[in-house]
Amino acid sequence: MESNIFIIAREELYKEIWEISLTGVAKKYDLNYSKLASACKEHNIPYPTSAYWTKKKMGLDTKDDVIPLPESDEKEIRLELKNNKPLFKEKYTKEDDVIQEFNYLNFLDENERSKVATVISELDINKHKKLHKTILDYKNKLKDERGEERQRNYYNPYYNIHDYTETGYFANVSKNEKDTCMKVLSTIYYAIEELGGKINSDFSMQIRGERLNIEIEELKDKINHELTKEEAKKLLEYEDEKKRYSYAYKPQIRKYDYVHNGKLKITFESREYIKETDKVKLEDKLGDVIVKLYDKSERIRVERVTREEEAKRREEERKREVEFKSRRKEEAIKTIDLVNKAEDYRVACEIRNYIKAVELKEELDEDMKKWIEWANKKADWFDPIVDANDELLGKREHGVSSKDKNDELNGYATYYGWY
Protein backbone atom coordinates (compact mmCIF):
# COMPACT_ATOMS: atom_id res chain seq x y z
CA MET A 1 0.00 0.00 0.00
CA GLU A 2 1.34 3.43 -0.98
CA SER A 3 0.67 6.54 1.08
CA ASN A 4 -2.78 7.20 -0.39
CA ILE A 5 -3.28 4.21 -2.70
CA PHE A 6 -4.98 0.93 -1.77
CA ILE A 7 -4.19 -2.14 -3.92
CA ILE A 8 -6.48 -5.18 -3.91
CA ALA A 9 -6.83 -8.25 -6.14
CA ARG A 10 -9.61 -7.80 -8.70
CA GLU A 11 -11.25 -11.15 -7.84
CA GLU A 12 -11.03 -10.48 -4.10
CA LEU A 13 -12.65 -7.07 -4.55
CA TYR A 14 -15.47 -8.70 -6.55
CA LYS A 15 -16.09 -11.31 -3.82
CA GLU A 16 -16.12 -8.73 -1.00
CA ILE A 17 -18.51 -6.44 -2.88
CA TRP A 18 -21.01 -9.29 -3.28
CA GLU A 19 -20.57 -10.35 0.34
CA ILE A 20 -20.80 -7.00 2.18
CA SER A 21 -21.95 -4.59 -0.59
CA LEU A 22 -20.24 -1.68 -2.28
CA THR A 23 -20.94 0.56 0.72
CA GLY A 24 -19.49 -2.04 3.09
CA VAL A 25 -16.24 -2.29 1.11
CA ALA A 26 -15.93 1.50 0.97
CA LYS A 27 -16.31 1.72 4.75
CA LYS A 28 -14.02 -1.25 5.43
CA TYR A 29 -11.06 0.17 3.51
CA ASP A 30 -11.84 3.88 3.97
CA LEU A 31 -12.54 4.43 0.26
CA ASN A 32 -14.64 7.03 -1.48
CA TYR A 33 -17.91 5.35 -2.46
CA SER A 34 -18.36 7.22 -5.76
CA LYS A 35 -14.76 6.60 -6.82
CA LEU A 36 -15.07 2.92 -5.88
CA ALA A 37 -18.22 2.59 -7.99
CA SER A 38 -16.49 4.34 -10.91
CA ALA A 39 -13.48 2.04 -10.58
CA CYS A 40 -15.74 -1.02 -10.68
CA LYS A 41 -17.31 0.22 -13.92
CA GLU A 42 -13.92 1.07 -15.38
CA HIS A 43 -12.44 -2.37 -14.58
CA ASN A 44 -15.62 -4.26 -15.50
CA ILE A 45 -16.39 -5.49 -11.98
CA PRO A 46 -20.16 -6.01 -11.57
CA TYR A 47 -21.77 -5.15 -8.23
CA PRO A 48 -25.27 -5.96 -6.81
CA THR A 49 -28.29 -3.74 -7.25
CA SER A 50 -30.55 -2.72 -4.36
CA ALA A 51 -33.02 -5.37 -5.59
CA TYR A 52 -30.40 -8.07 -4.92
CA TRP A 53 -30.00 -7.01 -1.28
CA THR A 54 -33.78 -6.67 -0.85
CA LYS A 55 -34.38 -10.22 -2.10
CA LYS A 56 -31.52 -11.48 0.07
CA LYS A 57 -33.02 -9.83 3.15
CA MET A 58 -36.37 -11.40 2.30
CA GLY A 59 -34.76 -14.85 2.23
CA LEU A 60 -35.46 -15.38 -1.48
CA ASP A 61 -33.23 -17.11 -4.00
CA THR A 62 -30.67 -14.67 -5.49
CA LYS A 63 -28.72 -17.06 -7.72
CA ASP A 64 -30.16 -15.57 -10.91
CA ASP A 65 -29.23 -12.05 -9.73
CA VAL A 66 -25.53 -12.79 -9.29
CA ILE A 67 -23.46 -11.48 -12.20
CA PRO A 68 -20.24 -13.49 -12.79
CA LEU A 69 -16.93 -11.67 -12.88
CA PRO A 70 -15.88 -11.23 -16.53
CA GLU A 71 -12.42 -12.34 -17.59
CA SER A 72 -9.71 -9.69 -17.60
CA ASP A 73 -5.93 -9.44 -17.86
CA GLU A 74 -5.96 -7.14 -14.84
CA LYS A 75 -5.14 -8.92 -11.61
CA GLU A 76 -4.97 -5.98 -9.20
CA ILE A 77 -6.98 -2.80 -8.77
CA ARG A 78 -5.47 0.44 -7.47
CA LEU A 79 -7.93 2.58 -5.46
CA GLU A 80 -7.44 6.03 -4.00
CA LEU A 81 -8.00 6.32 -0.28
CA LYS A 82 -10.17 9.02 1.25
CA ASN A 83 -8.56 12.27 2.30
CA ASN A 84 -7.78 11.75 5.99
CA LYS A 85 -8.66 15.36 6.70
CA PRO A 86 -12.45 15.77 6.53
CA LEU A 87 -13.80 18.73 4.63
CA PHE A 88 -16.46 19.25 7.30
CA LYS A 89 -17.59 17.64 10.51
CA GLU A 90 -20.62 15.40 10.04
CA LYS A 91 -23.22 14.97 12.73
CA TYR A 92 -25.18 11.72 12.75
CA THR A 93 -28.44 11.16 14.59
CA LYS A 94 -31.06 8.44 14.53
CA GLU A 95 -33.26 10.66 12.39
CA ASP A 96 -30.51 10.84 9.77
CA ASP A 97 -30.25 7.08 9.43
CA VAL A 98 -32.00 5.52 6.45
CA ILE A 99 -34.87 3.27 7.50
CA GLN A 100 -33.56 -0.26 6.93
CA GLU A 101 -35.34 -2.47 9.46
CA PHE A 102 -38.74 -3.69 8.36
CA ASN A 103 -40.82 -6.83 8.24
CA TYR A 104 -39.58 -8.66 5.15
CA LEU A 105 -43.08 -9.52 3.94
CA ASN A 106 -43.35 -12.72 5.97
CA PHE A 107 -47.12 -12.15 6.07
CA LEU A 108 -47.33 -12.90 2.31
CA ASP A 109 -47.41 -16.38 0.85
CA GLU A 110 -44.41 -17.55 -1.17
CA ASN A 111 -46.01 -16.83 -4.55
CA GLU A 112 -46.91 -13.25 -3.68
CA ARG A 113 -43.52 -12.62 -2.11
CA SER A 114 -41.82 -13.91 -5.25
CA LYS A 115 -44.00 -11.65 -7.39
CA VAL A 116 -43.10 -8.62 -5.26
CA ALA A 117 -39.42 -9.56 -5.45
CA THR A 118 -39.61 -9.91 -9.25
CA VAL A 119 -41.23 -6.50 -9.64
CA ILE A 120 -38.64 -4.94 -7.31
CA SER A 121 -35.76 -6.49 -9.23
CA GLU A 122 -37.05 -4.87 -12.44
CA LEU A 123 -37.63 -1.38 -10.99
CA ASP A 124 -36.22 1.34 -13.23
CA ILE A 125 -37.39 4.95 -13.40
CA ASN A 126 -36.72 4.93 -17.15
CA LYS A 127 -38.68 1.74 -17.79
CA HIS A 128 -41.91 3.70 -18.25
CA LYS A 129 -40.94 6.92 -20.00
CA LYS A 130 -44.49 8.20 -19.94
CA LEU A 131 -45.62 9.57 -16.57
CA HIS A 132 -48.42 7.77 -14.75
CA LYS A 133 -51.94 8.95 -15.62
CA THR A 134 -52.52 10.30 -12.10
CA ILE A 135 -49.49 12.58 -12.40
CA LEU A 136 -50.35 13.62 -15.96
CA ASP A 137 -53.86 14.57 -14.83
CA TYR A 138 -52.33 16.54 -11.96
CA LYS A 139 -50.01 18.43 -14.31
CA ASN A 140 -52.88 19.26 -16.67
CA LYS A 141 -54.99 20.49 -13.76
CA LEU A 142 -52.18 22.77 -12.56
CA LYS A 143 -51.71 24.07 -16.10
CA ASP A 144 -55.42 24.95 -16.31
CA GLU A 145 -55.32 26.65 -12.90
CA ARG A 146 -52.32 28.74 -13.88
CA GLY A 147 -54.04 29.71 -17.11
CA GLU A 148 -57.14 30.81 -15.20
CA GLU A 149 -54.99 32.78 -12.73
CA ARG A 150 -53.22 34.62 -15.55
CA GLN A 151 -56.54 35.39 -17.19
CA ARG A 152 -57.93 36.80 -13.94
CA ASN A 153 -54.87 39.03 -13.53
CA TYR A 154 -54.62 40.07 -17.19
CA TYR A 155 -55.19 43.74 -16.35
CA ASN A 156 -53.36 43.66 -13.00
CA PRO A 157 -50.14 45.71 -13.41
CA TYR A 158 -48.69 44.20 -10.19
CA TYR A 159 -49.16 40.60 -11.25
CA ASN A 160 -45.99 38.66 -12.07
CA ILE A 161 -46.40 35.25 -13.70
CA HIS A 162 -43.12 34.14 -12.13
CA ASP A 163 -44.49 34.67 -8.60
CA TYR A 164 -46.64 31.55 -8.91
CA THR A 165 -46.27 29.24 -5.90
CA GLU A 166 -47.44 25.67 -6.21
CA THR A 167 -49.64 24.48 -3.35
CA GLY A 168 -50.37 20.95 -4.56
CA TYR A 169 -48.73 17.60 -4.03
CA PHE A 170 -45.27 18.80 -5.08
CA ALA A 171 -45.33 22.00 -3.04
CA ASN A 172 -42.24 20.94 -1.07
CA VAL A 173 -40.11 20.23 -4.13
CA SER A 174 -38.03 22.69 -6.13
CA LYS A 175 -38.48 23.10 -9.89
CA ASN A 176 -35.14 21.39 -10.48
CA GLU A 177 -36.24 18.18 -8.76
CA LYS A 178 -39.92 18.10 -9.71
CA ASP A 179 -39.36 16.01 -12.85
CA THR A 180 -37.31 13.49 -10.86
CA CYS A 181 -40.05 13.31 -8.20
CA MET A 182 -42.67 12.68 -10.84
CA LYS A 183 -40.59 9.90 -12.41
CA VAL A 184 -39.97 8.31 -9.00
CA LEU A 185 -43.68 8.39 -8.14
CA SER A 186 -44.64 7.09 -11.57
CA THR A 187 -42.27 4.15 -11.15
CA ILE A 188 -43.78 3.37 -7.73
CA TYR A 189 -47.33 3.67 -9.11
CA TYR A 190 -46.64 1.40 -12.09
CA ALA A 191 -45.07 -1.19 -9.75
CA ILE A 192 -48.07 -1.09 -7.39
CA GLU A 193 -50.48 -1.54 -10.30
CA GLU A 194 -48.39 -4.42 -11.65
CA LEU A 195 -48.78 -6.07 -8.25
CA GLY A 196 -52.56 -5.69 -8.40
CA GLY A 197 -52.90 -2.42 -6.49
CA LYS A 198 -54.70 0.75 -7.48
CA ILE A 199 -53.73 4.42 -7.65
CA ASN A 200 -56.37 6.99 -6.68
CA SER A 201 -56.75 10.47 -8.15
CA ASP A 202 -55.64 12.05 -4.84
CA PHE A 203 -52.23 10.26 -5.08
CA SER A 204 -53.20 7.69 -2.44
CA MET A 205 -52.75 3.97 -3.14
CA GLN A 206 -54.79 0.82 -2.57
CA ILE A 207 -52.46 -2.04 -1.64
CA ARG A 208 -54.01 -5.39 -0.74
CA GLY A 209 -57.28 -3.54 -0.19
CA GLU A 210 -55.80 -0.98 2.21
CA ARG A 211 -55.50 2.76 1.52
CA LEU A 212 -52.05 4.33 1.96
CA ASN A 213 -50.57 7.79 1.49
CA ILE A 214 -46.99 8.89 1.01
CA GLU A 215 -45.46 12.36 0.85
CA ILE A 216 -42.48 13.26 -1.29
CA GLU A 217 -40.36 16.30 -0.55
CA GLU A 218 -36.95 17.81 -1.12
CA LEU A 219 -34.75 18.28 1.91
CA LYS A 220 -33.42 21.70 2.84
CA ASP A 221 -30.13 23.02 4.22
CA LYS A 222 -29.99 25.70 6.89
CA ILE A 223 -27.71 28.56 5.84
CA ASN A 224 -27.00 32.02 7.12
CA HIS A 225 -29.31 34.60 5.63
CA GLU A 226 -27.70 37.12 3.30
CA LEU A 227 -29.12 40.61 3.50
CA THR A 228 -31.02 41.80 0.46
CA LYS A 229 -30.68 45.37 -0.79
CA GLU A 230 -34.11 46.18 0.59
CA GLU A 231 -33.25 44.74 4.03
CA ALA A 232 -29.91 46.58 4.13
CA LYS A 233 -31.73 49.80 3.28
CA LYS A 234 -34.21 49.26 6.11
CA LEU A 235 -31.38 48.63 8.58
CA LEU A 236 -29.64 51.86 7.56
CA GLU A 237 -32.89 53.77 7.96
CA TYR A 238 -33.34 52.21 11.40
CA GLU A 239 -29.82 53.20 12.51
CA ASP A 240 -30.48 56.75 11.32
CA GLU A 241 -33.86 56.97 13.08
CA LYS A 242 -32.42 55.49 16.28
CA LYS A 243 -30.10 58.47 16.59
CA ARG A 244 -33.01 60.90 16.40
CA TYR A 245 -35.95 59.03 17.94
CA SER A 246 -36.14 56.75 20.97
CA TYR A 247 -39.09 54.86 19.54
CA ALA A 248 -37.31 53.71 16.37
CA TYR A 249 -38.47 50.23 15.36
CA LYS A 250 -35.83 47.71 14.32
CA PRO A 251 -36.85 45.74 11.23
CA GLN A 252 -37.33 41.99 11.75
CA ILE A 253 -34.86 40.18 9.51
CA ARG A 254 -34.47 36.41 9.68
CA LYS A 255 -31.08 34.95 10.57
CA TYR A 256 -31.29 31.81 8.46
CA ASP A 257 -32.60 30.61 5.12
CA TYR A 258 -33.66 27.09 4.27
CA VAL A 259 -32.74 26.14 0.73
CA HIS A 260 -33.47 22.96 -1.19
CA ASN A 261 -30.41 20.71 -1.47
CA GLY A 262 -31.52 18.30 -4.20
CA LYS A 263 -32.00 15.31 -1.85
CA LEU A 264 -35.41 13.70 -1.91
CA LYS A 265 -37.35 12.05 0.91
CA ILE A 266 -40.46 9.87 0.97
CA THR A 267 -42.46 9.92 4.20
CA PHE A 268 -45.07 7.32 5.12
CA GLU A 269 -48.21 7.88 7.19
CA SER A 270 -46.53 6.85 10.44
CA ARG A 271 -43.84 9.51 9.79
CA GLU A 272 -41.32 6.79 8.95
CA TYR A 273 -39.27 7.78 5.95
CA ILE A 274 -36.75 6.77 3.31
CA LYS A 275 -34.46 9.49 2.01
CA GLU A 276 -31.46 10.08 -0.18
CA THR A 277 -27.96 10.28 1.17
CA ASP A 278 -24.76 11.63 -0.30
CA LYS A 279 -24.04 8.16 -1.64
CA VAL A 280 -27.39 6.65 -2.54
CA LYS A 281 -30.11 8.28 -4.64
CA LEU A 282 -33.79 7.77 -3.89
CA GLU A 283 -34.36 5.95 -7.19
CA ASP A 284 -31.92 3.28 -5.95
CA LYS A 285 -34.10 2.72 -2.87
CA LEU A 286 -37.41 2.15 -4.65
CA GLY A 287 -37.29 -1.53 -3.68
CA ASP A 288 -37.21 -0.50 -0.02
CA VAL A 289 -40.13 1.88 -0.69
CA ILE A 290 -42.25 -0.93 -2.20
CA VAL A 291 -41.44 -3.27 0.70
CA LYS A 292 -42.21 -0.51 3.21
CA LEU A 293 -45.57 0.14 1.50
CA TYR A 294 -46.44 -3.55 1.75
CA ASP A 295 -45.32 -3.61 5.36
CA LYS A 296 -47.48 -0.54 6.08
CA SER A 297 -50.48 -2.09 4.31
CA GLU A 298 -50.21 -5.12 6.60
CA ARG A 299 -49.99 -2.91 9.69
CA ILE A 300 -53.03 -0.93 8.53
CA ARG A 301 -54.90 -4.19 7.82
CA VAL A 302 -54.10 -5.54 11.29
CA GLU A 303 -55.17 -2.24 12.90
CA ARG A 304 -58.37 -2.18 10.82
CA VAL A 305 -59.22 -5.81 11.67
CA THR A 306 -58.52 -5.09 15.33
CA ARG A 307 -60.82 -2.04 15.22
CA GLU A 308 -63.54 -4.00 13.42
CA GLU A 309 -63.30 -6.88 15.89
CA GLU A 310 -63.42 -4.43 18.80
CA ALA A 311 -66.43 -2.67 17.24
CA LYS A 312 -68.10 -6.06 16.67
CA ARG A 313 -67.38 -7.06 20.26
CA ARG A 314 -68.85 -3.79 21.56
CA GLU A 315 -71.93 -4.20 19.35
CA GLU A 316 -72.47 -7.77 20.52
CA GLU A 317 -72.01 -6.63 24.12
CA ARG A 318 -74.51 -3.82 23.54
CA LYS A 319 -77.02 -6.28 22.03
CA ARG A 320 -76.57 -8.65 24.95
CA GLU A 321 -77.11 -5.79 27.38
CA VAL A 322 -80.22 -4.63 25.51
CA GLU A 323 -81.52 -8.21 25.39
CA PHE A 324 -80.80 -8.69 29.10
CA LYS A 325 -82.58 -5.44 30.02
CA SER A 326 -85.54 -6.41 27.82
CA ARG A 327 -85.79 -9.85 29.44
CA ARG A 328 -85.39 -8.33 32.90
CA LYS A 329 -88.14 -5.80 32.18
CA GLU A 330 -90.42 -8.55 30.87
CA GLU A 331 -89.67 -10.68 33.92
CA ALA A 332 -90.39 -7.77 36.28
CA ILE A 333 -93.71 -7.05 34.55
CA LYS A 334 -94.72 -10.71 34.78
CA THR A 335 -93.69 -10.84 38.44
CA ILE A 336 -95.66 -7.68 39.28
CA ASP A 337 -98.64 -9.11 37.39
CA LEU A 338 -98.34 -12.35 39.39
CA VAL A 339 -98.12 -10.52 42.73
CA ASN A 340 -101.15 -8.34 41.89
CA LYS A 341 -103.22 -11.31 40.78
CA ALA A 342 -102.18 -13.24 43.88
CA GLU A 343 -103.28 -10.25 45.95
CA ASP A 344 -106.68 -10.27 44.24
CA TYR A 345 -106.95 -14.02 44.81
CA ARG A 346 -106.13 -13.51 48.50
CA VAL A 347 -108.89 -10.87 48.77
CA ALA A 348 -111.35 -13.22 46.97
CA CYS A 349 -110.51 -16.01 49.43
CA GLU A 350 -110.95 -13.68 52.40
CA ILE A 351 -114.35 -12.54 51.05
CA ARG A 352 -115.46 -16.17 50.67
CA ASN A 353 -114.26 -17.00 54.19
CA TYR A 354 -116.16 -13.99 55.46
CA ILE A 355 -119.31 -15.15 53.60
CA LYS A 356 -119.00 -18.59 55.21
CA ALA A 357 -118.75 -16.96 58.60
CA VAL A 358 -121.88 -14.95 57.92
CA GLU A 359 -123.73 -18.07 56.71
CA LEU A 360 -123.11 -19.69 60.12
CA LYS A 361 -125.68 -17.41 61.66
CA GLU A 362 -128.80 -19.39 62.60
CA GLU A 363 -131.30 -17.04 61.05
CA LEU A 364 -130.72 -15.32 57.67
CA ASP A 365 -133.34 -12.93 56.44
CA GLU A 366 -133.97 -12.17 52.75
CA ASP A 367 -131.72 -9.10 52.80
CA MET A 368 -128.86 -11.12 54.20
CA LYS A 369 -129.38 -13.83 51.62
CA LYS A 370 -129.29 -11.23 48.86
CA TRP A 371 -126.13 -9.78 50.37
CA ILE A 372 -124.48 -13.23 50.40
CA GLU A 373 -125.39 -13.67 46.73
CA TRP A 374 -123.93 -10.22 45.96
CA ALA A 375 -120.80 -10.89 48.01
CA ASN A 376 -120.15 -14.19 46.17
CA LYS A 377 -120.32 -12.32 42.89
CA LYS A 378 -117.79 -9.80 44.21
CA ALA A 379 -115.55 -12.67 45.29
CA ASP A 380 -115.75 -14.06 41.75
CA TRP A 381 -115.02 -10.54 40.44
CA PHE A 382 -111.86 -10.31 42.61
CA ASP A 383 -110.80 -13.90 41.82
CA PRO A 384 -108.41 -13.82 38.74
CA ILE A 385 -109.15 -17.52 38.13
CA VAL A 386 -112.91 -16.95 37.76
CA ASP A 387 -112.39 -13.48 36.25
CA ALA A 388 -116.10 -12.60 36.38
CA ASN A 389 -117.53 -9.48 34.76
CA ASP A 390 -119.38 -7.04 37.02
CA GLU A 391 -122.48 -5.33 35.66
CA LEU A 392 -121.45 -1.94 37.04
CA LEU A 393 -117.71 -2.19 37.62
CA GLY A 394 -116.84 -4.15 34.50
CA LYS A 395 -113.81 -6.45 34.28
CA ARG A 396 -111.25 -6.17 37.05
CA GLU A 397 -107.67 -5.62 35.81
CA HIS A 398 -106.03 -8.19 38.09
CA GLY A 399 -102.46 -7.46 36.95
CA VAL A 400 -102.65 -3.76 37.87
CA SER A 401 -101.30 -2.70 41.25
CA SER A 402 -103.63 -2.75 44.24
CA LYS A 403 -103.19 0.98 44.69
CA ASP A 404 -104.36 1.73 41.15
CA LYS A 405 -107.30 -0.66 41.44
CA ASN A 406 -108.30 0.81 44.81
CA ASP A 407 -107.92 4.34 43.46
CA GLU A 408 -110.26 3.42 40.63
CA LEU A 409 -112.86 2.04 43.08
CA ASN A 410 -112.48 5.08 45.31
CA GLY A 411 -112.98 7.26 42.29
CA TYR A 412 -116.28 5.58 41.49
CA ALA A 413 -117.32 6.04 45.13
CA THR A 414 -116.82 9.83 45.08
CA TYR A 415 -119.00 12.55 43.66
CA TYR A 416 -116.60 13.04 40.76
CA GLY A 417 -116.77 9.37 39.93
CA TRP A 418 -120.40 9.80 38.86
CA TYR A 419 -119.33 11.48 35.69
Side-chain angles (χ1 to χ4, degrees):
M1 185 187 295
E2 300 176 22
S3 60
N4 64 334
I5 298 297
F6 174 71
I7 302 174
I8 186 171
R10 181 171 177 269
E11 187 174 349
E12 183 182 350
L13 177 60
Y14 166 80
K15 288 180 179 178
E16 289 212 32
I17 286 174
W18 284 85
E19 284 177 4
I20 63 175
S21 79
L22 206 61
T23 303
V25 172
K27 289 182 178 179
K28 180 178 179 180
Y29 297 111
D30 196 27
L31 304 170
N32 182 282
Y33 175 87
S34 299
K35 290 182 179 181
L36 175 60
S38 299
C40 288
K41 292 178 182 178
E42 180 183 349
H43 299 288
N44 201 16
I45 301 174
Y47 52 85
T49 63
S50 60
Y52 169 83
W53 296 112
T54 301
K55 290 174 72 174
K56 194 168 184 178
K57 289 176 182 177
M58 292 166 61
L60 299 174
D61 187 12
T62 57
K63 291 181 181 179
D64 296 336
D65 297 286
V66 177
I67 305 172
L69 177 65
E71 294 291 334
S72 175
D73 294 334
E74 294 180 293
K75 299 301 180 183
E76 294 181 337
I77 306 297
R78 295 167 61 87
L79 299 167
E80 185 179 347
L81 293 170
K82 273 186 180 180
N83 187 347
N84 291 329
K85 184 178 179 180
L87 296 176
F88 56 90
K89 185 177 180 181
E90 292 182 327
K91 182 180 178 182
Y92 293 95
T93 66
K94 286 186 178 180
E95 293 182 350
D96 294 323
D97 294 336
V98 180
I99 303 299
Q100 293 178 340
E101 295 182 2
F102 43 73
N103 185 342
Y104 301 127
L105 309 186
N106 292 326
F107 50 86
L108 300 179
D109 59 43
E110 184 63 29
N111 290 334
E112 194 169 359
R113 288 176 67 211
S114 298
K115 186 176 181 181
V116 173
T118 301
V119 170
I120 287 175
S121 65
E122 297 173 353
L123 282 176
D124 182 1
I125 64 171
N126 295 316
K127 181 179 179 181
H128 305 280
K129 293 184 178 180
K130 186 177 180 181
L131 293 175
H132 190 273
K133 181 180 181 300
T134 300
I135 298 176
L136 286 176
D137 291 345
Y138 174 83
K139 288 183 69 176
N140 293 331
K141 181 182 177 182
L142 283 187
K143 184 178 179 181
D144 293 341
E145 289 178 356
R146 290 200 67 179
E148 292 173 0
E149 182 183 284
R150 290 180 182 180
Q151 189 174 2
R152 287 194 304 269
N153 291 276
Y154 186 79
Y155 296 105
N156 184 357
Y158 302 102
Y159 176 69
N160 187 341
I161 61 173
H162 300 294
D163 290 340
Y164 175 78
T165 301
E166 185 172 332
T167 57
Y169 190 80
F170 299 98
N172 296 320
V173 178
S174 67
K175 292 181 180 179
N176 294 334
E177 295 298 326
K178 187 181 293 185
D179 287 342
T180 302
C181 283
M182 290 183 173
K183 287 182 181 179
V184 167
L185 275 182
S186 289
T187 304
I188 294 172
Y189 289 168
Y190 282 126
I192 294 302
E193 288 182 334
E194 189 175 350
L195 291 167
K198 179 184 175 184
I199 310 303
N200 303 313
S201 59
D202 62 353
F203 287 82
S204 63
M205 292 168 277
Q206 296 286 137
I207 299 177
R208 301 174 69 238
E210 305 300 333
R211 188 184 186 93
L212 292 94
N213 287 286
I214 59 174
E215 298 175 4
I216 189 164
E217 63 181 307
E218 184 178 354
L219 301 177
K220 292 181 179 181
D221 289 331
K222 180 180 178 182
I223 62 173
N224 291 326
H225 175 67
E226 293 185 6
L227 286 176
T228 63
K229 291 182 179 180
E230 185 64 27
E231 290 170 341
K233 181 181 176 181
K234 288 181 179 180
L235 280 176
L236 287 174
E237 291 174 352
Y238 162 71
E239 294 296 335
D240 185 53
E241 288 182 357
K242 189 168 67 169
K243 295 175 182 177
R244 292 180 292 170
Y245 310 108
S246 60
Y247 54 82
Y249 176 74
K250 185 177 182 179
Q252 297 295 318
I253 298 174
R254 62 181 180 272
K255 293 182 179 180
Y256 304 101
D257 288 324
Y258 296 87
V259 296
H260 289 108
N261 59 17
K263 296 177 184 176
L264 301 180
K265 172 183 173 182
I266 286 181
T267 305
F268 303 87
E269 289 179 330
S270 59
R271 309 321 297 170
E272 297 175 82
Y273 61 83
I274 293 177
K275 70 176 183 179
E276 288 185 352
T277 64
D278 292 331
K279 298 177 181 179
V280 187
K281 303 292 286 182
L282 184 60
E283 49 260 42
D284 295 327
K285 297 184 177 183
L286 296 186
D288 289 352
V289 173
I290 299 299
V291 172
K292 177 64 74 174
L293 285 170
Y294 264 75
D295 181 50
K296 290 296 299 176
S297 74
E298 176 63 10
R299 293 191 207 177
I300 292 173
R301 186 195 69 80
V302 171
E303 291 172 0
R304 176 182 56 78
V305 170
T306 302
R307 287 196 306 271
E308 289 175 353
E309 289 177 349
E310 178 62 21
K312 183 179 179 182
R313 184 193 64 78
R314 287 198 301 267
E315 179 62 18
E316 289 176 350
E317 186 176 325
R318 187 193 66 81
K319 287 181 178 179
R320 286 195 297 269
E321 186 177 354
V322 170
E323 183 183 0
F324 172 76
K325 288 181 178 179
S326 176
R327 289 176 57 196
R328 183 174 63 183
K329 179 181 178 181
E330 182 180 354
E331 190 70 12
I333 291 173
K334 287 169 64 178
T335 302
I336 292 171
D337 180 77
L338 174 63
V339 169
N340 291 333
K341 287 179 178 178
E343 178 65 18
D344 271 9
Y345 180 74
R346 183 186 65 76
V347 173
C349 291
E350 289 183 355
I351 291 174
R352 291 188 180 111
N353 288 333
Y354 177 60
I355 292 172
K356 289 179 181 179
V358 171
E359 289 176 336
L360 292 176
K361 291 179 66 176
E362 294 181 357
E363 295 181 4
L364 296 174
D365 55 22
E366 288 299 321
D367 290 339
M368 186 59 68
K369 289 179 181 180
K370 288 180 180 180
W371 179 89
I372 291 173
E373 182 181 358
W374 172 86
N376 276 317
K377 289 181 179 179
K378 284 296 173 280
D380 292 341
W381 182 69
F382 266 97
D383 192 340
I385 298 174
V386 179
D387 194 24
N389 183 48
D390 188 270
E391 180 181 0
L392 297 175
L393 301 179
K395 282 272 191 179
R396 183 170 174 82
E397 295 183 51
H398 303 287
V400 177
S401 69
S402 298
K403 180 180 181 304
D404 290 341
K405 289 181 288 192
N406 291 335
D407 287 347
E408 184 179 16
L409 283 176
N410 291 331
Y412 293 153
T414 63
Y415 173 80
Y416 298 103
W418 296 356
Y419 299 92

